[in-house]
Amino acid sequence: MKRVYLFCSAGMSTSMLASKMQTVADNHKLPIEVKAFPDGKVDEIVEKYHPDVILLGPQVKYKFDDINARFGQTIPVQVIDQQAYGVMDGEKVLKSAIRLMKQNKK
């Protein structure tokens, strides 16, 4: 089971996006778990669950450099595309996360 974890400031809209992404994964029978968390818990969540991808909501993109410096060597980190986030395009964001996982394998 691959873990794609989203982090943002409040978690409300990101939780909706994570749910849409999970539905896409389930519909395609992909062994992927998608969850959303507040950005203040990134250290705790990474240590406890070891996600395969960390996605940051556009509202916390200013934290990218810090989070990427801490975890980017072992876990790919990316800011969610603002347009895909705005329209809650779970399929597009999930495809982006899967590409990140594949690139990280090489």
Side-chain angles (χ1 to χ4, degrees):
M1 174 78 62
K2 297 291 184 183
R3 293 184 174 109
V4 176
Y5 287 177
L6 288 64
F7 293 90
C8 73
S9 51
M12 294 303 249
S13 52
T14 306
S15 291
M16 287 188 346
L17 180 59
S19 176
K20 289 181 181 234
M21 292 169 68
Q22 187 65 63
T23 299
V24 172
D26 293 346
N27 288 344
H28 291 284
K29 296 181 178 25
L30 300 172
I32 297 175
E33 172 186 74
V34 184
K35 290 187 177 181
F37 302 93
D39 64 303
K41 292 192 172 204
V42 70
D43 292 310
E44 173 188 336
I45 297 299
V46 169
E47 186 176 316
K48 188 172 183 180
Y49 297 107
H50 308 288
D52 296 283
V53 174
I54 295 172
L55 298 178
L56 302 176
Q59 64 273 50
V60 295
K61 69 180 175 184
Y62 67 94
K63 293 190 173 193
F64 173 81
D65 289 339
D66 176 52
I67 292 172
N68 191 51
R70 294 194 338 253
F71 305 111
Q73 295 296 326
T74 55
I75 304 169
V77 180
Q78 185 176 64
V79 176
I80 299 168
D81 175 77
Q82 191 159 353
Q83 185 176 1
Y85 187 90
V87 296
M88 294 282 136
D89 189 339
E91 185 171 355
K92 182 175 182 177
V93 179
L94 183 64
K95 283 180 179 178
S96 176
I98 291 169
R99 272 194 301 275
L100 270 180
M101 283 189 273
K102 287 180 178 178
Q103 290 170 357
N104 198 45
K105 276 186 172 179
K106 295 177 183 176

